[in-house]
Amino acid sequence: MSFRSIEQLLRRNSKTKISRNIVDGVHDQKEEQLVQSLRELLLASNQLPDKFDDNYVLLRFLRMRGFNILKAKEMFLNMLKWREDCSVDAIANDFKFEEYDAVKRCYPHGFHGVDRFGRPLYIERVGLVDLSKLMQVTSIDRYVKYHISEQEKTISLRYPVCSLVAKRHIASTTAIFDVKGLGLNNFSKSAREMFAEIQKIDSNYYPETLNQLYIINAGTGFRALWKVLKAFMEARTLAKVQVLGTNYLNTVLEAVDQSNLPDFLGGTCTCPTGGCLLQDKGPWTDPEMVRASKEAFGKGQKSFNELTATVACESFRGCQEPSTKQVDSTSRKKRTLGMLLKDDQVGIDTGENILRKLVDEQISEKIRELEHCAAQSNETLQTLVCKQQELTGHIEQLRKILQDVMGADMKGDTQDTKLKVN
């Protein structure tokens, strides 16, 4: 059974709110069509691994590239190459960050509960970072690997568990950065390198996973630094950032309940045993929720598409997960080499047709944009011509008035001369 049929079946018959809300999310027909076009383009060239064959994943890349399918495809393929080059799966499964506690002491940061929508809440006290000590206990390379492992954990565990708890699709994080005391003077070269590398990774390989970033306690020193930092950030990311001063609390509380906000930020939470940012507080630490998540998502690694299949199988008797074997759907026989080669040729032809269609559509769209621009320019030109005619009329009137005044003055001077002669 295909994902499409499972999804349709699930929407019609599911008895649980969780499955319907996770599948439905926020849909836009045009977005769905673009996601499907991107999927077909990647499948036609055999460049879509099962792990990433997910509506929400593909939509993230499309949004980051302004729904330009070719640019989204390029970004997606760059992500796959980066994962292979950097052995990201190995980092996610095997990397051990033994200096975790020491890093936390000189760089206070961590997840702490959820926002009002149910998204993970991430907090950094950037102004308290002791960079010299940080570089003594770890290195930029190891910290970047740690950051990648945390991103993988967020996608494979935190988001699925939060989705189960919130009963809706969760795929982004709300963040708070406390920059009190941070400025150009204490933002060293090492800090700039680490920030640039992490920002590049997040923007290029984990796009659209930031819901909102609140930068609080921003003084004049940080605001000067912010002008430099913005150069490293994508425009879409910058649109999600709010830079706030010391009167930030009311704004932050619109997004985060006071019980999930640490007391040092104006909330009511006072976590024991080391403080709020050492706990990795959230529903993903609840063994029962982790177990439920693994059952639904498949050891925390399955995509949201696979969740719908799992829930559907639980809801409907006789539903089985699709087999990965290459079997002919009509005869149920294993496909021969000739059949597979023929399929490959069809895939190539289909990919070329899809690509040609996409290029034609984008050219047509550009032509429409240029035609609209030409029409607007023509309208503007006509307006300028009318204004020019009006100005010419005003100038002629002024000249006539000036001539009349000068004529009157000359006549007056002549009369005065005659009187003096007499």
Side-chain angles (χ1 to χ4, degrees):
M1 180 178 286
S2 69
F3 165 68
R4 293 291 173 201
S5 60
I6 292 172
E7 185 179 26
Q8 292 170 1
L9 197 64
L10 180 62
R11 289 182 180 179
R12 287 198 303 267
N13 302 308
S14 177
K15 297 178 182 179
T16 61
K17 290 183 179 180
I18 175 67
S19 55
R20 180 166 297 233
N21 287 341
I22 291 178
V23 172
D24 288 346
V26 179
H27 284 284
D28 178 274
Q29 187 174 1
K30 186 176 180 181
E31 287 185 357
E32 288 183 346
Q33 291 172 351
L34 290 168
V35 166
Q36 186 58 25
S37 296
L38 177 58
R39 171 182 282 111
E40 290 173 357
L41 188 60
L42 291 166
L43 286 172
S45 55
N46 196 28
Q47 293 175 310
L48 182 58
D50 290 342
K51 180 177 180 178
F52 299 105
D53 188 3
D54 180 299
N55 283 0
Y56 295 106
V57 170
L58 297 178
L59 183 59
R60 292 206 325 261
F61 285 87
L62 281 165
R63 284 174 174 166
M64 198 65 180
R65 287 296 175 255
F67 291 96
N68 184 307
I69 294 176
L70 297 181
K71 289 183 178 179
K73 178 189 175 185
E74 180 184 14
M75 185 182 187
F76 181 84
L77 296 180
N78 287 339
M79 179 271 293
L80 294 182
K81 186 177 185 305
W82 168 78
R83 292 184 69 90
E84 183 179 0
D85 292 345
C86 296
S87 304
V88 172
D89 289 338
I91 291 174
N93 296 325
D94 304 325
F95 179 70
K96 304 298 181 185
F97 198 55
E98 292 87 357
E99 60 267 42
Y100 178 84
D101 290 339
V103 166
K104 287 272 188 173
R105 283 192 289 271
C106 52
Y107 186 175
H109 68 280
F111 285 90
H112 190 269
V114 296
D115 68 7
R116 293 185 185 274
F117 190 83
R119 306 179 189 90
L121 176 64
Y122 177 75
I123 299 171
E124 284 192 10
R125 304 188 76 179
V126 188
L128 297 181
V129 175
D130 188 331
L131 197 62
S132 61
K133 286 186 179 179
L134 181 64
M135 291 298 100
Q136 290 173 13
V137 298
T138 191
S139 64
I140 292 178
D141 179 66
R142 284 188 59 77
Y143 188 85
V144 169
K145 287 182 178 178
Y146 160 67
H147 179 77
I148 292 171
S149 69
E150 283 294 296
Q151 283 282 44
E152 292 292 303
K153 181 178 178 180
T154 296
I155 288 174
S156 65
L157 179 62
R158 293 186 179 105
Y159 289 160
V161 170
C162 286
S163 296
L164 290 174
V165 173
K167 296 182 174 61
R168 53 183 163 227
H169 178 67
I170 300 294
S172 60
T173 301
T174 295
I176 301 173
F177 285 7
D178 184 0
V179 297
K180 184 177 182 180
L182 183 65
L184 281 169
N185 293 334
N186 52 2
F187 197 65
S188 66
K189 181 182 178 182
S190 298
R192 290 195 300 271
E193 289 176 356
M194 189 166 69
F195 174 84
E197 182 64 20
I198 288 175
Q199 182 56 40
K200 183 183 77 172
I201 289 171
D202 291 349
S203 294
N204 294 340
Y205 312 128
Y206 300 96
E208 294 294 297
T209 53
L210 175 66
N211 168 61
Q212 186 75 41
L213 168 59
Y214 298 97
I215 297 178
I216 63 172
N217 289 319
T220 54
F222 175 80
R223 292 181 188 275
L225 175 62
W226 180 238
K227 294 179 181 179
V228 178
L229 297 179
K230 288 194 294 185
F232 296 99
M233 303 176 73
E234 294 267 2
R236 282 188 63 86
T237 303
L238 282 172
K240 300 175 182 180
V241 179
Q242 286 193 57
V243 180
L244 307 169
T246 55
N247 296 322
Y248 62 83
L249 189 56
N250 288 338
T251 301
V252 171
L253 288 178
E254 291 177 4
V256 182
D257 187 82
Q258 207 163 12
S259 62
N260 277 323
L261 198 64
D263 59 348
F264 55 79
L265 295 181
T268 59
C269 184
T270 55
C271 289
T273 318
C276 289
L277 299 187
L278 287 177
Q279 305 304 309
D280 192 24
K281 176 184 176 181
W284 51 86
T285 61
D286 183 337
E288 288 299 314
M289 291 309 305
V290 172
R291 181 189 60 78
S293 171
K294 286 182 178 180
E295 288 178 357
F297 289 84
K299 297 182 180 180
Q301 295 294 329
K302 286 189 178 181
S303 68
F304 284 97
N305 287 354
E306 290 170 305
L307 167 68
T308 61
T310 302
V311 177
C313 289
E314 293 174 351
S315 300
F316 307 107
R317 182 176 297 179
C319 174
Q320 296 178 349
E321 292 192 36
S323 172
T324 57
K325 295 180 181 179
Q326 293 178 312
V327 179
D328 183 66
S329 58
T330 55
S331 66
R332 308 307 298 171
K333 296 179 181 178
K334 290 185 178 180
R335 303 184 66 81
T336 65
L337 178 60
M339 296 171 70
L340 293 174
L341 290 174
K342 184 178 179 181
D343 287 348
D344 289 341
Q345 183 60 47
V346 171
I348 293 171
D349 294 340
T350 303
E352 291 177 352
N353 291 334
I354 292 170
L355 185 59
R356 190 179 300 113
K357 182 180 178 182
L358 292 173
V359 171
D360 290 344
E361 288 177 354
Q362 293 188 3
I363 291 174
S364 298
E365 184 179 354
K366 183 58 67 176
I367 290 172
R368 287 193 295 270
E369 289 178 5
L370 292 173
E371 287 175 343
H372 179 67
C373 184
Q376 285 185 325
S377 299
N378 186 48
E379 184 179 343
T380 303
L381 183 61
Q382 291 177 354
T383 303
L384 289 172
V385 169
C386 292
K387 290 293 182 183
Q388 184 184 30
Q389 292 173 349
E390 290 179 10
L391 288 171
T392 302
H394 290 318
I395 290 170
E396 291 300 323
Q397 290 177 0
L398 289 171
R399 283 176 177 169
K400 189 174 184 302
I401 293 171
L402 182 60
Q403 288 173 355
D404 292 342
V405 170
M406 291 178 65
D409 289 343
M410 290 177 64
K411 186 176 180 180
D413 291 342
T414 302
Q415 291 176 351
D416 289 343
T417 303
K418 287 181 179 179
L419 288 172
K420 287 180 181 179
V421 172
N422 293 333

